[in-house]
Structures are given as C-alpha cells and as structure tokens.
Amino acid sequence: MSSLLTRDEYQNLADSLPLPTNAVIDGKARAAQSGDTFETINPATGQVIARIASCGEADVDLAVEKARLAFESGAWSRAHPSERKRVLRRLVKLMERNIHELAVLETLESGKPIYDVSTIDIPEALHCLEWHAEATDKLYGQTSPSGDDVVSLIVRQPLGVVACVLPWNFPILMLAWKIGPALATGNSVIVKPAEQTNMSTLRIAELTHEAGLPPGVLQVVTGPGETTGKALGLHADIDMVAFTGSTDVGRKFLEYSARSNLKRIVLECGGKNPCIVLDDAENLDVVAQHVTQAVFWNMGENCSSNSRLIVHEKIKDRLVETVLHKLREWPLGEPLDPGNRLGAIVSKEQFDRIMGYIKKGRSEGAKVVTGGNAHKHGKGYFIEPTVFDDVTPQMTIAREEIFGPVLSVIKVASADEAVRVANDTQYGLAASIFTANLGKAHRIARDIRAGTVTINCYGEGDISTPFGGFKLSGFGGRDKSLHAHDQYTELKTIWADISDPRVSRAVD
C-alpha cells in the first residue's frame, strides 16, 4: 500500500488528473443520450470541478439491456468461481496501483480528509473486495435429509441484474460493500453513485474492464436520484436494488418495487446511535478517544455515528472535559492536506441542514460547550466540531439524524435509564457501551435494539460480521460477511427421485 503524499503532491495530482465525467455502459464511457449534464462541486472551495453526464430513462434502459445480455451470455454468471475470483483480485491490484488518483478524486468531490480516504476507506475497500473474491470458490451448497430415495440439492444462483445505489459519505467503501458480494456471486451490476460523488466510482468502473470483467457486467449510470435512481427502482428487468442512504429515499425504493416487478430491496438507512457510558467505565481518556472518533470521523457524515452520548451523571462532567481535550487532535481545514482530520461538509445543502440543527439545539435550550459555528476557510463548507450539553431526550437534536459533526450529551442516573433512552428512537443501526462489568455489558447489548453493538469500543465489526439495522435503519438484508452473498442470490431446490421402481413401498 502506498504511503501518504504531501499536501503539495496531492494538489499537483489534483491539477493534472483527467476527470471521468461520462457514464460507463457496456464497457464504454458514454454521454447521456439527452446530452444533459450536472455540476459536481468541490465542497472545500465551492467551485465547479466538472460536469457529469445526467442519465435518464433511455440510458438506464440501455444499461439494463446490456446487463441482461451479459448475464444471459454466461460470460460472468456461469464463469467458474475461481475465474471470478481471479478477475476481482486483479481489480484489487489495479486499485492499489492507482490509490493516490482514487483518493484525490474522492476527496475533491466529497470534502473528506485525504488522510481518511488513503488510510481507512481505500484499504478497507480493497480488503472487502479481496475477501469476497476469496469466498467465491469456498461456499458450498447443501443437501437435505430427505431419505435414500431422493437427492435433494439446495443451491444458490445469482439473481440476475442488480442495481446498487450509493451514498455520498463513503463512495469507494460503499461501492466495495455492494459490488464485492454482488459480482462474486455472478450478477450483472449497475451502479448509481450519489449525485455529489461520481468520479471515483467512474474510475473504478474503468479499472474493472482493465481487470477483465466482461462488458455489461459492471456499469455506472450517473444522475439525480429523482430521475436516474427512480428509473432503476421502477425498471421491470432489474431483479434487485441494494441501497445505502436516507430512510426517506429507502421508502421510495420499496414503493418502486411494489409498483413494478416486486424486485428484491435491501436498505441500509439512517441512524441516531447511542453511546452509553456507565459510572464504572474504565479509563475515561480511552473512552473519550472512542467518543470523538465515533461522532467526528468523516465530519459526522456517517450513518453509524454515535451522535448521542448517554452518560451517567456521576462522570458526565469529567467525560465531557476529556472529550474537549481530545478534540485538539482533530485539526480542521483543507481536505487535501494529510495533516487535517476534519474536512468540508459535502454540499451547501448539507451544510445548511447541519447549521439549522445547531440553531434548533440552541433554541430548545441545549448548551454549546464547543463549536457551533461555520468555520471560515475560503468559500468552502466547513463546520466546527460541536458538542451540546444539557440535552434532553425530547430535543430535536437528540431525536433526528443530523449527519454532521454534532454530539448531544444526555445525562442519566442509572443503566436502566440509559437503555430506555438509547431505545427511544425510530432508528436501530449501531450502539456502543462502556462499562467495567462485562456481564452487565452483555445484558445491555441484548436489550439495545440495534444491528451492531460494540462493548468498550466504537466500531462496525470487520468484513466477516454483518452490518445493518433494526427498525427504520434497515430492511431486507445486511452488508458485509457471507450473509451478503445470500442476499445477491436465489435459493433453489433441485429434487431428484432416485427410488428403485422395482421396489414397492407402503404408503402411510
């Protein structure tokens, strides 16, 4: 893996990179058939980077047609699993060789610190793709215990044409989470990146063809959700949509499925995740380190962000003070500078949304103990890391997903109260618990309604553990782990009667 470059080296690369702007359909870069485009903005400067093809229904129809032809040809869907593994591993190698280019493309569009993209997002994406590639030729079918007169095979077959609709907060990593299992199981995949972050996905699509993926097996259609995304959701020849994003948009894909062909829908949606810290938690310095990482990583633009700190009243003030001390380790500024840990908010729309929540928190009586303001850095969209104290569970900032660098501190008097507050939400994606009592931690982990619960740490597990949520945080399946392979396949029973016709058997 390549080491970090300097800020000037990244800037020189940004100034010289060819920018991918066209959709990728049937192995070729194509403008939208209408000729329409839309602007992609650098959120660190507010300036237009390029104009991206705005695909409409005709472009989606063409991509689906090519995807179906590729699937039916068997060039990928019926390829030997070891061949699919070989191609996916070659893609990983090509991405490694182009890591600096991919990191710059992602940082330019998303505002993410290039430190995170280079040291977390891309390495984890590569590990994800390689892990699913290696699983390709190691998953077995089953037989049922149906007696000696039958051979009953239970086999998995690829679904067919799968649409993967990505969020803007982790473009490369979420791409890997989707296409890793979808391609490993033999599907043809159409990817729609978020409108704000297209270029890294387009570049990776180019690399997949260099790696040997047949034309039509992985395609990228770019455009707004209300046109391009809707066309995918309503298309009668798409067998599945895998979506990561807001709960409101996730609901729309369920509606699109009901209105079209009842395609399979897998949703990973929002979260308002709790971090419970009990009065017996050990080493508040370490706890504070996890708390700050959980809420300020990626500027809080993270569905698994622990944005609610539910802390016992006996240690609340000490923990808040320690969190404020840890914030000194999170410099905010130019995303292409690898010395910065906080970058720009992805768009003016999201910037305004976050600032609106900060205003709402103040008006409802919460106390800002740090931050709370826009950070002046040129014409970019920067917000100071913000901590609210004296938050009650009924306040807006404690109930709605802000998706920004905002932490709400809620004081409780007992573990039972902490669990009640933690579960008092429409979401259920992730949670963390800090306590020295391991038995208590496991009891609380069972009681919390969330898909991932971490004990004495913040995290999302690893590639071998499923990721997804309860309630409004998820629907239909999980990302990561072998469970993801199941959701991109159909389960089929093949029943063969092998009884000896010469032997008569009594029937009860």
Side-chain angles (χ1 to χ4, degrees):
M1 192 69 64
S2 302
S3 59
L4 288 166
L5 303 180
T6 66
R7 187 266 177 202
D8 288 343
E9 287 173 323
Y10 282 125
Q11 186 60 60
N12 289 337
L13 190 55
D15 293 339
S16 61
L17 274 178
L19 302 179
T21 59
N22 284 324
V24 177
I25 298 175
D26 198 29
K28 304 178 182 68
R30 298 173 183 259
Q33 294 184 46
S34 64
D36 292 344
T37 62
F38 60 92
E39 295 177 345
T40 183
I41 306 293
N42 182 343
T45 64
Q47 301 300 309
V48 176
I49 305 170
R51 298 194 68 89
I52 307 293
S54 186
C55 296
E57 288 187 22
D59 304 292
V60 169
D61 287 344
L62 179 61
V64 174
E65 177 189 344
K66 298 300 182 182
R68 182 62 65 185
L69 287 172
F71 182 78
E72 297 298 340
S73 76
W76 184 254
S77 59
R78 295 182 181 273
H80 194 280
S82 63
E83 172 62 14
R84 295 203 294 267
K85 178 177 75 172
R86 184 182 65 82
V87 172
L88 290 174
R89 293 192 66 192
R90 188 185 298 162
L91 171 62
V92 170
K93 295 296 182 185
L94 288 170
M95 290 174 63
E96 284 179 339
R97 293 174 195 167
N98 292 274
I99 184 172
H100 296 313
E101 174 187 354
L102 292 172
V104 167
L105 289 174
E106 182 128 319
T107 294
L108 286 176
E109 281 194 304
S110 69
K112 295 166 64 74
I114 202 156
Y115 177 89
D116 284 357
V117 179
S118 297
T119 65
I120 301 173
D121 293 19
I122 296 180
E124 288 194 9
L126 296 177
H127 177 57
C128 171
L129 290 171
E130 190 156 39
W131 191 89
H132 285 295
E134 286 292 347
T136 303
D137 59 0
K138 298 175 181 65
L139 294 178
Y140 291 79
Q142 298 172 307
T143 60
S144 69
S146 298
D148 291 342
D149 291 338
V150 167
V151 174
S152 177
L153 304 179
I154 303 169
V155 299
R156 296 182 185 88
Q157 294 184 178
L159 276 168
V161 178
V162 171
C164 297
V165 182
L166 306 181
W168 44 254
N169 56 339
F170 293 97
I172 291 176
L173 184 55
M174 293 302 99
L175 175 69
W177 279 20
K178 304 298 187 191
I179 70 171
L183 289 176
T185 49
N187 295 285
S188 293
V189 180
I190 301 171
V191 178
K192 195 203 89 67
E195 188 176 352
Q196 298 85 350
T197 50
N198 298 275
M199 295 192 298
S200 59
T201 299
L202 291 170
R203 180 66 181 118
I204 290 170
E206 294 173 356
L207 294 176
T208 64
H209 299 297
E210 190 176 338
L213 206 66
V217 173
L218 186 124
Q219 304 175 96
V220 180
V221 290
T222 51
E226 58 269 22
T227 54
T228 317
K230 182 177 181 180
L232 290 168
L234 288 171
H235 204 290
D237 202 27
I238 289 178
D239 300 294
M240 173 184 176
V241 172
F243 168 78
T244 294
S246 72
T247 300
D248 287 344
V249 176
R251 290 179 189 272
K252 291 183 179 180
F253 279 106
L254 292 174
E255 294 172 5
Y256 298 152
S257 174
R259 289 167 54 189
S260 55
N261 59 336
L262 290 182
K263 60 177 62 64
R264 185 178 299 180
I265 302 292
V266 174
L267 307 176
E268 195 271 283
C269 298
K272 191 65 180 176
N273 310 299
C275 175
I276 294 175
V277 184
L278 301 182
D279 57 339
D280 64 348
E282 297 177 318
N283 196 337
L284 291 188
D285 189 70
V286 172
V287 174
Q289 183 175 339
H290 284 280
V291 168
T292 52
Q293 175 75 17
V295 73
F296 297 123
W297 173 42
N298 203 46
M299 296 74 68
E301 297 171 329
N302 178 16
C303 57
S304 62
S305 167
N306 283 344
S307 57
R308 292 185 295 153
L309 177 58
I310 302 169
V311 56
H312 196 283
E313 58 189 7
K314 290 182 179 179
I315 62 169
K316 191 263 292 182
D317 290 342
R318 280 192 293 140
L319 180 56
V320 170
E321 182 180 350
T322 309
V323 167
L324 297 181
H325 177 77
K326 288 293 179 185
L327 269 176
R328 300 173 188 172
E329 301 171 9
W330 289 77
L332 167 65
E334 167 58 50
L336 285 176
D337 184 345
N340 289 326
R341 296 300 310 279
L342 290 162
I345 304 302
V346 70
S347 67
K348 181 64 164 59
E349 178 185 15
Q350 184 64 14
F351 173 89
D352 290 340
R353 183 174 186 270
I354 297 167
M355 293 304 297
Y357 275 113
I358 292 173
K359 182 179 180 180
K360 187 75 169 176
R362 284 190 168 109
S363 69
E364 291 183 354
K367 176 185 175 183
V368 175
V369 294
T370 191
N373 302 300
H375 178 76
K376 300 300 182 184
H377 186 84
K379 296 182 179 180
Y381 315 132
F382 295 84
I383 295 176
E384 297 172 346
T386 300
V387 177
F388 277 102
D389 201 353
D390 298 337
V391 178
T392 65
Q394 293 73 37
M395 290 181 179
T396 303
I397 59 172
R399 304 200 68 80
E400 297 184 11
E401 186 178 36
I402 298 173
F403 226 63
V406 181
L407 176 65
S408 297
V409 181
I410 303 171
K411 179 177 65 176
V412 293
S414 68
D416 288 343
E417 183 185 2
V419 172
R420 286 196 300 272
V421 173
N423 283 335
D424 184 19
T425 174
Q426 61 186 339
Y427 297 109
L429 185 57
S432 297
I433 306 160
F434 290 86
T435 174
N437 187 322
L438 195 57
K440 183 187 293 184
H442 279 283
R443 289 192 296 273
I444 293 174
R446 287 199 305 268
D447 291 340
I448 290 178
R449 297 279 296 160
T452 297
V453 182
T454 60
I455 295 174
N456 292 328
C457 64
Y458 165 73
E460 298 173 347
D462 64 14
I463 189 60
S464 68
T465 58
F467 182 81
F470 294 6
K471 299 187 278 187
L472 295 190
S473 289
F475 178 90
R478 293 291 188 266
D479 286 315
K480 303 195 303 177
S481 82
L482 293 180
H483 293 278
H485 285 239
D486 290 339
Q487 69 195 24
Y488 291 103
T489 57
E490 291 280 20
L491 205 61
K492 175 180 283 187
T493 296
I494 300 175
W495 181 277
D497 183 347
I498 61 168
S499 60
D500 190 339
R502 296 170 300 177
V503 178
S504 62
R505 297 184 181 276
V507 178
D508 293 335

